[in-house]
Amino acid sequence: MGALAFAAVVSAGVASYGWRYRDEPSGRWFIALTVSAGCWSLFEMLFLLADSPGTRFLWFVLESVPAESSVFFTLLFALEIAGYERWVSRRTAALLAVWPALTIAGVATNALGVHALLWESLSFSTVGGITATEIAPGPLFWVDVVYSYVAIGAALVVLGIHYLRSRQIYRKQALVLFVAILTPAVVGAVYLLRPFMPANPIAVSFAATSSLLAVGLSRYRILDISPIARDLVIERMADPVVVVDRKGRLADSNPSARALFDGSPSLLGSSVADVFGAETASALESGGELRVVDDNGEARHFEVDRSAVTDGRDAVRGHLHILHDITERRVRERWFRALTENASDLIFVLDAHGSVTYLSDSAAQTLGADEDPSEVQSMKRFLHPDDEDAAVETFRESLERPDEDATAELRFRSSTRGWRAFSVRCRNLLDDPVVGGVVVNAHDVTDRRKHEQQLETFANVVSHDLRNPLNVAEGYLELVKETDRPDPDHVERIEAAHERMGEIIADVLALARGGTVDERETVSLDAAAAEAWANVETGTATLDIEESASFDADRTRLLQLLENLFRNAVEHGSTGSRDSPDDAVEHVGDGVTVTVGATPDGFFVEDDGPGVPPADRPKLFESGFTTAADGTGFGLAIVQTIADAHGWSIGYEDATDAGARFVVRGVEVAADSAQEAGVASSDDA
């Protein structure tokens, strides 16, 4: 009696514990099985405790319901838990339930005397307080026995297969279930062959079965989805593996995952958020990227590969998460990103239609494109209008020949330095799954092109401009050698030729050095202008300093800039032949007034001469441009290179009262002097 009570209580407890798995198919069959087993033990106990034949007969009849149901639910549960859930459908369940339902109906009708197919005679006797049942089985009784053992045998077979294919803890799961189901079957078989107790020993044996199921639930978690997941992963995978059920509970983890998260098998069944933390749980749920700090304090990055674990009916039972270590890849990406973002070259990526998909920091800063690359759309607005066709052709070439780099030299507008020349190289990586675009690398070659032009100018001067005065000097030198008394005019011409070569050499050196600036110091515009004026042959010209200012500059280079502007003004202000400060004419500076003044962002030099003809203005600052027969054409080119070396700009404007006006801008004028220069700003165009 005690064993029956114990079996009923334990079965009820196991069923209530399994209630949390009621949403799982295996959980539902498990609950039905344990409830049936518990009711069988309870009804057998009530049968034995009945004090009247009628009550005892009633419990005998009712006992057939849990007895038949327990066999039916045992088979369904075994198929589900062993991975044969595809065989457990509504149709198969209905077919399997036909015989138990007929048997229960047969017991009821047999009890009503309709037939004697299950038992031919039935009587109860009580001897010494123990109730005994004397029954003469009918033919259907043995059919029911065969059905029951075939069903239980099938359940034991699938559990045996499950045991053989399982690993470690899951093999123990299968073994516990196998023994729990085998125990009542063996007891029942022995009882059929040789009755050894008045009560039904199968109901009593459920005390052992319920105990085994309780152990299986608490220790081996027989209702977890782990056995199914284990068929999909390898126990010793290097990548961490985590299995989560539909309730967000940790169902399984491999040794790599437990080592990573400091977990243990005892945490199985707990909430993933409680075991790993909310951040990890969120990353597992979304299947994104996970960052974990290991015991050494180093961050490791994992890419979460999330896939659903389904049963034979394609119902989702949980999710399998495989964590791929991408730490090394992230380190490389950060290295390349830092290299790209800090590179001086402009780097951007275009799609197949030429739209911008990526813009490096250097490109965004240089071009002044601070918006999102997706909003830039096209590089057209940064390109020089004259280079648009070349850019399109280069891009088309990269599309047509993906195995070769397409190159071109294009001009882009710098947000701070105006138009700059870039050597552009396009590489077609549209088929690359990582890049998926045309990579454009643009290297600034503006300074190199200027140096090349300076070198070309130097070569032209050496090969042509210097050769002329040198030939003159050599010719007159031969005449001097042939006479005893040299003609003074010949000597004078030799001296003039040498002076001319000296001027050309000085200008070439100044032009070659124009791209360099030594240490800067604070200079005063009026003091520098006065000193530069004293260094120039000004004749009768006069200097007028309207406003002064202080700013940082290379004093020597600034003096060269002012000297060249002054020469240009005094030598051409009264002649109208303006091109270079080297064009020597007689009576230079006659009646010319040169004015120097400060502006809010620089200074100006102007004269009251005739100005520059409009046709000559575009070529003013070109090296070698001159309208004078003996001019080198380097003066204003030197002025521009010195301004560029300081980061300034220079331009030509017409003065208010005719004449020429050269304005230098981009100068960081001291705040106190900028206020003083405010009066002059109204004169600036």
Side-chain angles (χ1 to χ4, degrees):
M1 196 71 65
L4 291 172
F6 176 78
V9 171
V10 173
S11 296
V14 171
S16 63
Y17 185 85
W19 182 253
R20 67 176 65 185
Y21 298 97
R22 62 187 180 278
D23 294 331
E24 304 290 343
S26 59
R28 291 194 291 269
W29 299 130
F30 177 82
I31 295 170
L33 168 61
T34 52
V35 169
S36 298
C39 289
W40 193 353
S41 300
L42 177 64
F43 288 4
E44 180 68 17
M45 182 180 67
L46 295 175
F47 166 77
L48 296 176
L49 292 176
D51 55 1
S52 66
T55 305
R56 187 175 295 117
F57 185 71
L58 175 63
W59 286 116
F60 175 83
V61 173
L62 292 176
E63 193 173 332
S64 64
V65 176
E68 296 295 328
S69 299
S70 61
V71 174
F72 169 71
F73 291 132
T74 295
L75 177 57
L76 294 179
F77 172 68
L79 291 172
E80 190 78 45
I81 202 68
Y84 296 95
E85 59 281 313
R86 63 184 179 279
W87 294 354
V88 184
S89 63
R90 291 184 178 181
R91 177 176 297 181
T92 56
L95 291 174
L96 292 173
V98 170
W99 179 258
L102 290 176
T103 302
I104 294 172
V107 171
T109 53
N110 204 144
L112 294 175
V114 176
H115 59 81
L117 296 176
L118 286 167
W119 67 84
E120 296 176 355
S121 63
L122 177 67
S123 62
F124 307 108
S125 61
T126 303
V127 179
I130 299 176
T131 300
T133 303
E134 295 180 1
I135 184 173
L140 289 185
F141 173 81
W142 297 110
V143 175
D144 183 55
V145 170
V146 172
Y147 164 82
S148 299
Y149 274 93
V150 169
I152 295 299
L156 292 174
V157 168
V158 296
L159 287 175
I161 296 174
H162 178 49
Y163 171 83
L164 295 175
R165 73 180 185 180
S166 297
R167 299 179 180 87
Q168 298 180 3
I169 186 175
Y170 307 107
R171 177 169 289 185
K172 295 178 181 179
Q173 281 186 348
L175 182 61
V176 167
L177 290 174
F178 186 88
V179 175
I181 294 174
L182 179 64
T183 299
V186 172
V187 171
V190 173
Y191 181 71
L192 286 174
L193 295 175
R194 185 182 294 276
F196 55 87
M197 59 186 303
N200 190 330
I202 298 178
V204 177
S205 69
F206 278 124
T209 298
S210 299
S211 299
L212 288 172
L213 292 177
V215 172
L217 277 176
S218 61
R219 185 171 182 179
Y220 301 118
R221 317 201 63 80
I222 57 177
L223 293 183
D224 285 344
I225 66 171
S226 302
I228 302 173
R230 278 293 165 178
D231 293 337
L232 306 177
V233 298
I234 302 174
E235 171 69 17
R236 299 186 181 276
M237 265 183 91
D239 288 336
V241 177
V242 176
V243 183
V244 181
D245 65 14
R246 292 193 300 179
K247 297 289 188 179
R249 296 169 301 203
L250 179 63
D252 188 20
S253 61
N254 71 343
S256 296
R258 292 193 290 273
L260 177 64
F261 296 109
D262 294 327
S264 64
S266 62
L267 297 175
L268 297 179
S270 302
S271 169
V272 174
D274 294 338
V275 177
F276 300 145
E279 183 178 351
T280 300
S282 176
L284 294 176
E285 178 67 23
S286 62
E289 186 173 318
L290 176 63
R291 180 178 179 273
V292 180
V293 179
D294 60 20
D295 295 336
N296 299 323
E298 296 181 358
R300 296 176 63 187
H301 297 266
F302 294 88
E303 187 176 64
V304 181
D305 184 2
R306 184 173 186 262
S307 58
V309 178
T310 58
D311 57 21
R313 293 180 295 270
D314 293 329
V316 177
R317 302 287 301 278
H319 287 88
L320 175 71
H321 306 83
I322 302 178
L323 281 58
H324 304 290
D325 195 332
I326 58 172
T327 305
E328 185 177 350
R329 188 174 80 189
R330 286 290 175 263
V331 171
R332 290 199 307 269
E333 289 176 353
R334 287 196 299 270
W335 185 83
F336 282 115
R337 186 181 300 112
L339 186 66
T340 301
E341 293 176 352
N342 292 285
S344 59
D345 287 0
L346 313 187
I347 301 173
F348 40 93
V349 180
L350 309 177
D351 62 16
H353 304 290
S355 297
V356 178
T357 59
Y358 170 78
L359 202 65
S360 67
D361 284 356
S362 59
Q365 293 172 6
T366 300
L367 303 178
D370 296 331
E371 62 267 35
D372 188 276
S374 61
E375 299 178 3
V376 174
Q377 295 296 327
S378 172
M379 299 302 297
K380 181 177 179 180
R381 66 188 178 98
F382 303 110
L383 270 172
H384 194 285
D386 295 340
D387 292 346
E388 290 181 8
D389 291 341
V392 172
E393 182 61 29
T394 304
F395 179 73
R396 184 181 297 113
E397 183 180 344
S398 69
L399 296 180
E400 294 174 352
R401 296 188 295 176
D403 297 332
E404 301 178 16
D405 289 349
T407 60
E409 187 167 304
L410 307 174
R411 286 166 290 179
F412 290 93
R413 186 184 66 249
S414 169
S415 59
T416 58
R417 304 178 68 184
W419 293 109
R420 307 284 293 177
F422 287 85
S423 176
V424 176
R425 182 178 297 274
C426 299
R427 166 68 74 167
N428 186 348
L429 296 178
L430 287 168
D431 294 333
D432 190 308
V434 177
V435 180
V438 177
V439 180
V440 180
N441 184 286
H443 179 67
D444 193 332
V445 295
T446 307
D447 294 336
R448 190 178 76 190
R449 290 291 177 262
K450 287 183 178 180
H451 293 158
E452 290 174 354
Q453 291 172 359
Q454 291 171 357
L455 182 60
E456 183 178 355
T457 300
F458 177 79
N460 290 335
V461 170
V462 172
S463 64
H464 182 268
D465 292 355
L466 277 178
R467 186 179 301 277
N468 289 337
L470 182 60
N471 290 338
V472 171
E474 289 178 347
Y476 281 101
L477 182 59
E478 290 295 327
L479 294 176
V480 170
K481 290 180 179 180
E482 293 175 356
T483 60
D484 295 333
R485 297 183 64 182
D487 186 338
D489 184 59
H490 293 171
V491 174
E492 184 179 347
R493 289 181 179 273
I494 292 174
E495 291 176 348
H498 280 88
E499 288 178 2
R500 179 64 175 160
M501 285 189 288
E503 292 173 357
I504 293 175
I505 291 172
D507 282 350
V508 170
L509 290 176
L511 188 63
R513 188 169 172 262
T516 61
V517 166
D518 296 332
E519 295 184 1
R520 302 191 185 202
E521 59 181 289
T522 302
V523 297
S524 174
L525 178 62
D526 56 351
E531 183 176 351
W533 186 263
N535 295 337
V536 177
E537 181 63 38
T538 58
T540 60
T542 59
L543 175 67
D544 181 15
I545 301 177
E546 288 188 355
E547 299 290 343
S548 184
S550 297
F551 48 86
D552 291 339
D554 183 330
R555 184 179 183 82
T556 301
R557 308 296 283 140
L558 177 62
L559 291 177
Q560 289 178 326
L561 181 148
L562 292 171
E563 289 169 4
N564 280 280
L565 288 176
F566 291 159
R567 289 192 188 98
N568 187 74
V570 300
E571 294 178 0
H572 303 285
S574 60
T575 67
S577 58
R578 179 186 309 274
D579 49 64
S580 150
D582 308 291
D583 301 328
V585 295
E586 295 181 358
H587 309 295
V588 295
D590 287 350
V592 177
T593 298
V594 180
T595 304
V596 177
T599 65
D601 64 342
F603 58 90
F604 67 90
V605 175
E606 70 177 30
D607 61 58
D608 56 357
V612 178
D616 292 340
R617 292 174 188 175
K619 301 178 288 185
L620 269 179
F621 297 98
E622 293 182 5
S623 297
F625 171 71
T626 180
T627 58
D630 57 350
T632 64
F634 293 143
L636 292 181
I638 293 172
V639 170
Q640 186 173 47
T641 56
I642 295 174
D644 290 344
H646 282 82
W648 306 336
S649 64
I650 184 169
Y652 172 83
E653 301 174 2
D654 286 325
T656 305
D657 300 325
R661 176 185 174 97
F662 293 91
V663 182
V664 178
R665 302 187 186 279
V667 182
E668 294 185 6
V669 180
D672 54 348
S673 62
Q675 280 188 346
E676 298 174 2
V679 178
S681 64
S682 62
D683 297 328
D684 300 334

